[in-house]
Amino acid sequence: MSTQPSNKSVLISGVFLSYSLFVLILSVTLMEHEIPIEQPIQAEEKAEPVKTVSEPPKFSEIKDVNQKKQDFFQYLLPGINAKNASLNQERNFLLTLKNSGYPDVVQAEEITREFTRIANKYKSDSLDELLVRVDQIPSSLALAQAAIESGWGSSRFAREGNNFFGQWCYQQGCGLVPRHRIEGATHEVKVFDSVNDSINAYFDNINTNRAYRELRQIRADLRQQNQPLSGTALAEGLEKYSEKGYEYVEVIQTMIASNKLDAYDQTLAIKN
């Protein structure tokens, strides 16, 4: 990573400006000069840490199919929404830098520290590339994939490893060995300390793994066109998520449509 925290902070107007004060002054300056800017996403509420119940329900014991589905979606949705809210905050920070004439403002130590944290997390020190990577994933898409990958929360990997998205790992002992793993294969299905960790890993995987560049480009194009993010549209970029290829994309899209999951995406119909 080429971006490193600055050892020197810049004195502006005789004081070290906090990020919140910097944003306020910057916003006023831009408005006074009538500079056209791409607007940061307006978050309805401050991002909270990812939260779900500490232990997943025993979905395999719920016999009523409709009840199981409802319980499954309601269990995962708070964590997914909280993760999207956190991404919302990070994206707003990056949009503020872009609108203010980056990289000059990145000389301020506090801002440099935050930019470096985000750059390290999303594996790029390019502001334009970060704006492609640091963005929300429609709840409909996350819920559909969780249902498919975990068998509605009933799979061994979900029950024993808190793994709701089918993530693999490659170090011996890092997860659960699939019972029908092909001879010679070394992958395991990753074990997480909590479902929250599984949600975080899923989002980070989609937003950074080169296999999902197409999904991120679809999302960036929708933002450019001021269109709402759609789980059905973004699913087109997940052909490499499964060995089934495009058939997997169609399964996701069918899952979204048959369960009317796009209703959960209404909060993403916002201008970027």
Side-chain angles (χ1 to χ4, degrees):
M1 187 60 58
S2 59
T3 304
Q4 297 295 332
S6 173
N7 293 325
K8 180 179 180 181
S9 59
V10 174
L11 191 63
I12 304 175
S13 301
V15 296
F16 292 108
L17 296 177
S18 66
Y19 171 61
S20 59
L21 181 57
F22 167 80
V23 172
L24 176 61
I25 293 175
L26 175 61
S27 300
V28 172
T29 301
L30 291 172
M31 287 188 292
E32 287 178 348
H33 289 83
E34 298 182 348
I35 300 175
I37 60 174
E38 177 189 8
Q39 295 297 324
I41 301 168
Q42 297 301 311
E44 294 183 357
E45 56 186 36
K46 186 176 180 180
E48 296 291 339
V50 177
K51 295 179 181 178
T52 59
V53 293
S54 58
E55 294 292 336
K58 294 181 179 179
F59 293 111
S60 60
E61 297 181 2
I62 303 175
K63 304 305 180 184
D64 184 278
V65 174
N66 290 329
Q67 186 64 51
K68 178 187 289 190
K69 288 183 177 183
Q70 182 178 351
D71 289 355
F72 182 85
F73 295 143
Q74 292 305 314
Y75 172 72
L76 288 177
L77 193 60
I80 292 170
N81 286 344
K83 182 62 177 179
N84 272 327
S86 177
L87 279 161
N88 196 35
Q89 284 192 329
E90 292 175 329
R91 184 172 177 82
N92 274 340
F93 172 82
L94 296 172
L95 285 171
T96 300
L97 291 185
K98 181 179 177 67
N99 296 336
S100 65
Y102 168 87
D104 294 336
V105 296
V106 182
Q107 297 307 309
E109 183 176 358
E110 189 172 339
I111 296 171
T112 301
R113 187 184 307 114
E114 176 64 5
F115 179 84
T116 302
R117 182 191 69 79
I118 294 174
N120 288 335
K121 179 178 179 181
Y122 295 98
K123 304 175 183 178
S124 176
D125 55 9
S126 163
L127 180 56
D128 287 338
E129 177 60 24
L130 285 171
L131 283 168
V132 173
R133 296 185 178 204
V134 183
D135 204 347
Q136 301 169 342
I137 296 173
S139 299
S140 63
L141 183 59
L143 289 171
Q145 283 198 269
I148 294 166
E149 296 293 339
S150 73
W152 296 99
S154 299
S155 72
R156 176 168 69 100
F157 307 120
R159 289 183 287 105
E160 299 179 18
N162 290 316
N163 190 329
F164 277 67
F165 296 94
Q167 298 102 318
W168 287 5
C169 56
Y170 295 91
Q171 293 182 343
Q172 186 174 5
C174 64
L176 300 171
V177 176
R179 293 194 177 101
H180 303 292
R181 186 175 66 180
I182 298 175
E183 184 177 354
T186 60
H187 71 275
E188 299 179 13
V189 179
K190 188 174 178 64
V191 168
F192 294 98
D193 291 335
S194 69
V195 177
N196 297 340
D197 290 343
S198 180
I199 292 172
N200 282 328
Y202 163 75
F203 272 79
D204 291 345
N205 186 33
I206 296 296
N207 281 335
T208 63
N209 194 312
R210 62 184 178 181
Y212 312 121
R213 283 181 294 187
E214 183 180 355
L215 179 149
R216 297 192 292 270
Q217 190 56 55
I218 293 170
R219 183 174 61 186
D221 290 343
L222 289 172
R223 289 295 194 198
Q224 185 67 29
Q225 298 161 14
N226 287 325
Q227 295 297 314
L229 301 187
S230 159
T232 299
L234 267 63
E236 291 287 335
L238 287 174
E239 191 168 344
K240 294 181 180 179
Y241 200 95
S242 167
E243 295 176 349
K244 295 179 180 179
Y246 195 75
E247 180 184 347
Y248 181 74
V249 172
E250 295 176 323
V251 170
I252 294 173
Q253 292 171 334
T254 299
M255 175 73 74
I256 292 174
S258 62
N259 291 280
K260 298 181 173 57
L261 296 180
D262 53 357
Y264 294 111
D265 296 340
Q266 293 176 354
T267 56
L268 300 186
I270 49 182
K271 184 176 180 180
N272 66 323

